[in-house]
Amino acid sequence: MENPGASVVITHHILDGKQNEYEKWLDEIVPISKHSQGFIDLQIVRPIPKLTFVYTVIIRFDTIDHLKSWMESPDRKKLIEKASPFFRKNDRYQIKSGLDFLFNAENEGNKVPVRWKQYLVTWSAIYPLSLVVPPLLLPLLRSLNIPVNHYLDAFVNSGCIVLLMVYVVMPNYTQLIKKWLFR
């Protein structure tokens, strides 16, 4: 079976007035994590100014072993110690394999639905998107004078579908069906 990869979702609750120092610290740790073995990508969700103080960092690696190596590395431990004066709470993180992070509601803790439910939910979300996105997107590409190219069209369509899945559909969909999903 193909390796599903692994993700870590890190939350840092930053003390009021310490955001600038934390941002400088991010400038230091991000390049180091990007050079870790097996690194795929990283996303930072910043807080809403004067409203929230939580930073969420999502890092993806090719294997769970590479992810654990980074999380337990001396470099990361040293940098976490350096940033701890900025934290309202301790460094918190959850490691998930494959697409588990799509199904993790914060109030469900570390609970992850069984794989067959993940499969059904993902399929039932992707299917309508795969019917709706291309007819909306392809005319837009043609109106921008981008010539028909099967590979480019598929690339753009799949990118839009994944974007909608991760940021729009799955957070709302899993919330809607969480009683069944986590039963």
Side-chain angles (χ1 to χ4, degrees):
M1 183 177 162
E2 187 177 315
N3 191 329
S7 302
V8 62
V9 179
I10 305 165
T11 55
H12 289 152
H13 296 250
I14 305 304
L15 292 167
D16 191 20
K18 296 293 184 181
Q19 290 83 4
N20 288 338
E21 288 98 326
Y22 182 79
E23 287 284 344
K24 288 178 188 169
W25 176 82
L26 281 175
D27 290 341
E28 189 176 348
I29 195 169
V30 165
I32 295 170
S33 62
K34 285 183 176 181
H35 287 93
S36 296
Q37 186 176 7
F39 174 85
I40 295 175
D41 69 8
L42 175 144
Q43 296 165 345
I44 300 170
V45 181
R46 288 176 167 77
I48 301 165
K50 298 182 181 180
L51 187 60
T52 63
F53 302 99
V54 179
Y55 282 77
T56 302
V57 180
I58 303 166
I59 308 174
R60 290 188 325 128
F61 281 80
D62 61 351
T63 67
I64 194 99
D65 291 335
H66 286 149
L67 174 64
K68 285 182 178 177
S69 291
W70 163 244
M71 295 304 291
E72 297 166 2
S73 72
D75 286 342
R76 184 177 185 280
K77 286 180 182 175
K78 186 171 69 173
L79 286 163
I80 291 296
E81 282 179 30
K82 182 177 180 179
S84 65
F86 314 144
F87 298 161
R88 187 178 305 234
K89 297 179 181 178
N90 289 336
D91 177 49
R92 296 179 50 199
Y93 63 87
Q94 294 180 338
I95 294 176
K96 302 289 180 185
S97 65
L99 296 175
D100 287 349
F101 73 96
L102 289 176
F103 297 94
N104 185 37
E106 193 170 313
N107 59 354
E108 297 298 328
N110 287 324
K111 218 171 155 185
V112 175
V114 294
R115 292 278 182 208
W116 69 268
K117 287 185 179 182
Q118 290 185 37
Y119 165 77
L120 287 177
V121 170
T122 304
W123 185 23
S124 67
I126 287 177
Y127 178 69
L129 288 175
S130 67
L131 294 175
V132 171
V133 169
L136 296 174
L137 197 58
L138 293 177
L140 177 66
L141 293 177
R142 301 299 88 82
S143 73
L144 295 171
N145 293 324
I146 297 173
V148 174
N149 179 308
H150 174 72
Y151 299 106
L152 178 64
D153 292 350
F155 179 75
V156 173
N157 280 322
S158 63
C160 288
I161 289 170
V162 170
L163 178 87
L164 289 169
M165 281 287 292
V166 172
Y167 291 105
V168 179
V169 175
M170 290 306 276
N172 295 306
Y173 190 24
T174 55
Q175 189 66 26
L176 182 68
I177 61 170
K178 75 178 182 180
K179 284 185 181 178
W180 172 80
L181 194 58
F182 292 98
R183 187 177 331 136

